[in-house]
Amino acid sequence: MITQLPVASRAEVRAAALRDLAADRRAVIGVVLVNGLASASGLVGPLLLGRIIDTIQAGSGDVLGAVDRLAFGALLFTVVQMVLSWWALKLGYRYGERTAARVRERFLRRTLALPPRVADHLPAGDLIARGSNDASLVASTLRAAVPEVLVAVVHALFLIVAVLVLDPRLGLCGLVCLVGVAGAVRWYLRRARPAYLAVAATGAEIADAVASTAKGARTVELLGLEERRTQVAERAIGRARSARLDALWLRTVLFPSSEIALALPVVGVLLVGGALYGNDLVSLGTVVTAALYLRQLVGPLDTLMLWIEQLQGAGASYARVEGVGDVPAADAQVVQRVRDERIRVENAHFSYTGERDVLRGIELSVQPGERLAIVGTSGAGKSTLARLLAGLDRPHTGAVTIGGTAVAELAPEQLREHVVLITQDHHVFHDTIRDNLLIAKPTATDDELRAALEAVGAGWLEELPRGLDSAVGDDVTLDDAGAQQLSLARVVLADPHTVILDEATSLLDPRTARRTERSLASVLHGRTVIAIAHRLQTAHDADRIAVMEAGRLVELGTHDELVRAGSTYGRLWQTWHTT
């Protein structure tokens, strides 16, 4: 079992980010170009203000007219900068929305592409956290970070170049004073990635604790495990709190030091510029312009500092989302040749942990069209055997085959044509009835979809306002029986020759269970049926009964044969029948 999902490396995250940028390169180029024009327009205002100061100081000619013209030019270019900046942000946010959608779709495709026996062993809480919290953080960051960071970077570069061109001495002074910012960022980045990965991992641990407790709520209540599960949740919360405090400490060092460092370039230029002006080496307008440029530089650098912090959390989430692509997949599967519909289990052993076998030496043969019931006490290994027969797990030793081919080696599409496992867990997507059914057979026609629903007794289809186009959750709300009928209709469409039933109606109320069992009867007609029997009446009606005890198959025969033998099944039947 995979106990920890992989996390993508820095190189993999960079490669993914570059792919996302390249996928919409026209938008990225547009953002850079438009923002470049906006930044260039923003440089004109301080330059003209410096000219105004020098013109007033010179005091020759039509000073008032010259000042008016320079002021009008500064106003005009300020308006142009505002319009271009708005346009650049608009382009950037549109790019961010498209990229966020690509990230979510890529995560979903990778998750759905995992073979069932791989996906079934992934830590559910971690996977949920990556698909919800992490994907949402990546999406929101891409929507905002790309336009704002690009705007800030381009604007900062233009300002630095402008002050260097204006006066190299003042420009170098300003850059030297920015060394403190670079030092603070370098210190922070060396420590940020592991800290934010820990924050994300502990958040996933909380999600896993909550999900597992909710899923096993009945077991927790029956066995009195409330205190233990509370302790598990509290330990997860404690670790999450500690991780978040560690990340917060990094921020408390980064932001104060950067705020001080960002003020130094303006102070340095004013001091050096004052000295140069006092020695008639530079004009007052040049000093003011350089100071204004460096003062403007605080804005984009402050934005970058904020995003540096936020990008660490987003980068950790990006690494977790991309890490799903590194989950070891099952061996490549090709269409196998299946000779017939006979199922055989030969000397099968299986263990979930590798330490203790849950199944030991199972030998079983199921003939086409046979109805086989598997009975035994709780923990005997019935559901585990059902998982092996359905191809969700592979025996550690021995074999489980259909027509001579290992069940676990069948590609998912081919496996679905042979064996389907039906449990009490069924999922109905928030989509149309049609799309909920096409999952089982994408090429099915509307007539085939209606026939499948009719076969399982889903008469409610005719009452829906838009028929197959009715959306679950909007046009119709399905009760447990209706949702199970929808799931059974998928089985009809998949048309497997073998159906495995594991507690298919155990969680339904008696009336709903009777309706569902009538639907099941129509689905099971003419197929091989392997039923995990929790009620001995179900076993009584089967062609043969397999009795399991402590992971072993201890009895196999018809109801009458096993009752006459008076062994494990005979005692169970006698106790149940007497009661």
Side-chain angles (χ1 to χ4, degrees):
M1 178 175 178
I2 300 174
T3 57
Q4 184 68 42
L5 284 169
V7 175
S9 65
R10 291 178 185 271
E12 289 175 318
V13 173
R14 282 196 298 270
L18 289 174
R19 285 195 303 270
D20 287 330
L21 287 170
D24 207 350
R25 61 175 63 88
R26 291 179 62 184
V28 176
I29 293 171
V31 171
V32 173
L33 289 177
V34 175
N35 187 59
L37 293 174
S39 298
S41 301
L43 298 177
V44 177
L47 182 63
L48 294 180
L49 181 59
R51 293 283 181 84
I52 290 173
I53 293 173
D54 289 339
T55 299
I56 294 173
Q57 192 176 34
S60 60
D62 184 11
V63 176
L64 187 59
V67 168
D68 287 343
R69 288 191 295 272
L70 291 171
F72 177 76
L75 176 63
L76 178 63
F77 277 98
T78 300
V79 172
V80 171
Q81 181 193 20
M82 292 173 60
V83 173
L84 291 174
S85 297
W86 169 81
W87 189 15
L89 285 173
K90 180 180 178 181
L91 292 174
Y93 276 101
R94 287 186 174 181
Y95 160 81
E97 290 290 346
R98 291 192 293 268
T99 305
R102 277 194 294 271
V103 170
R104 290 179 181 276
E105 290 168 0
R106 186 165 65 237
F107 176 83
L108 183 60
R109 283 197 304 271
R110 287 173 173 174
T111 303
L112 294 177
L114 294 172
R117 59 182 166 276
V118 174
D120 201 49
H121 289 92
L122 296 178
D126 197 5
L127 193 63
I128 291 170
R130 294 186 187 216
S132 54
N133 296 342
D134 290 320
S136 296
L137 180 56
V138 172
S140 61
T141 301
L142 286 172
R143 281 194 295 267
V146 171
E148 292 187 21
V149 169
L150 283 175
V151 167
V153 168
V154 174
H155 194 189
L157 289 176
F158 268 78
L159 288 170
I160 291 171
V161 171
V163 76
L164 286 170
V165 171
L166 181 68
D167 189 286
R169 295 164 297 184
L170 297 177
L172 288 173
C173 174
L175 291 180
V176 169
C177 292
L178 286 173
V179 172
V181 177
V185 171
R186 188 165 179 267
W187 176 90
Y188 174 78
L189 292 179
R190 283 204 306 265
R191 296 162 174 79
R193 177 178 167 85
Y196 281 94
L197 283 175
V199 169
T202 53
E205 188 179 350
I206 293 176
D208 195 49
V210 172
S212 58
T213 301
K215 186 175 182 180
R218 294 185 65 192
T219 302
V220 170
E221 184 178 356
L222 288 172
L223 299 181
L225 301 176
E226 293 90 343
E227 182 67 25
R228 184 181 299 179
R229 294 309 301 172
T230 300
Q231 292 174 358
V232 169
E234 287 180 348
R235 285 196 295 268
I237 292 170
R239 285 189 286 269
R241 178 179 178 274
S242 178
R244 289 181 179 276
L245 287 176
D246 289 343
L248 178 61
W249 178 76
L250 294 179
R251 295 198 292 272
T252 60
V253 175
L254 173 67
F255 288 130
S257 59
S258 64
E259 284 295 325
I260 295 171
L262 285 174
L264 293 179
V266 177
V267 174
V269 164
L270 288 175
L271 291 174
V272 173
L276 293 174
Y277 174 70
N279 291 287
D280 293 326
L281 297 175
V282 69
S283 70
L284 180 60
T286 300
V287 175
V288 172
T289 301
L292 286 174
Y293 280 155
L294 291 174
R295 182 65 187 87
Q296 284 189 359
L297 186 61
V298 172
L301 288 182
D302 200 36
T303 299
L304 288 175
M305 297 301 294
L306 290 171
W307 274 114
I308 283 173
E309 185 274 325
Q310 294 184 47
L311 286 173
Q312 300 314 300
S317 292
Y318 210 157
R320 286 166 52 78
V321 170
E322 289 297 314
V324 175
D326 296 332
V327 174
D331 297 334
Q333 295 168 314
V334 296
V335 175
Q336 303 283 338
R337 181 176 179 272
V338 179
R339 295 193 305 268
D340 53 50
E341 299 176 357
R342 184 183 181 187
I343 297 175
R344 287 187 60 86
V345 183
E346 302 173 86
N347 192 30
H349 291 73
F350 180 79
S351 170
Y352 286 104
T353 63
E355 297 178 357
R356 184 178 67 86
D357 284 345
V358 179
L359 298 179
R360 296 188 286 275
I362 303 297
E363 293 279 352
L364 180 65
S365 179
V366 184
Q367 300 300 323
E370 183 179 13
R371 299 176 67 89
L372 174 72
I374 302 176
V375 302
T377 58
S378 179
K382 305 184 298 297
S383 294
T384 302
L385 178 58
R387 291 176 60 84
L388 263 62
L389 293 170
L392 294 179
D393 285 315
R394 185 192 300 266
H396 294 164
T397 60
V400 179
T401 61
I402 296 178
T405 301
V407 178
E409 293 179 2
L410 294 174
E413 296 79 9
Q414 188 181 15
L415 177 62
R416 191 165 54 239
E417 296 174 359
H418 292 281
V419 182
V420 168
L421 173 65
I422 301 177
T423 70
Q424 79 273 17
D425 298 321
H426 46 265
H427 187 77
V428 178
F429 294 92
H430 193 88
D431 208 332
T432 64
I433 299 294
R434 176 184 288 104
D435 288 335
N436 266 281
L437 294 174
L438 289 177
I439 294 170
K441 186 179 179 182
T443 59
T445 65
D446 284 1
D447 288 340
E448 290 176 310
L449 301 182
R450 293 190 183 91
L453 288 170
E454 184 178 348
V456 298
W460 41 261
L461 178 65
E462 303 303 324
E463 303 173 4
L464 300 183
R466 295 190 293 160
L468 292 172
D469 290 318
S470 300
V472 176
D474 294 331
D475 300 320
V476 58
T477 300
L478 297 178
D479 58 14
D480 288 335
Q484 186 69 293
Q485 286 173 329
L486 195 59
S487 297
L488 294 175
R490 294 177 187 148
V491 177
V492 174
L493 291 167
D495 195 24
H497 60 71
T498 299
V499 175
I500 302 172
L501 304 176
D502 187 6
E503 302 183 273
T505 61
S506 63
L507 296 184
L508 301 181
D509 61 81
R511 181 179 178 183
T512 302
R514 285 194 295 274
R515 288 170 55 195
T516 303
E517 286 167 356
R518 284 196 295 269
S519 302
L520 269 172
S522 62
V523 173
L524 302 179
H525 180 69
R527 306 181 196 275
T528 303
V529 179
I530 302 173
I532 308 301
H534 296 269
R535 292 178 295 178
L536 291 189
Q537 185 59 48
T538 302
H540 176 273
D541 297 335
D543 298 326
R544 283 194 304 162
I545 301 168
V547 183
M548 296 193 66
E549 192 172 75
R552 296 185 182 278
L553 185 59
V554 295
E555 288 186 282
L556 182 64
T558 65
H559 170 78
D560 293 337
E561 291 171 347
L562 296 181
V563 169
R564 283 196 300 270
S567 188
T568 303
Y569 181 81
R571 291 193 297 271
L572 287 173
W573 176 261
Q574 183 64 35
T575 302
W576 181 81
H577 190 66
T578 302
T579 303

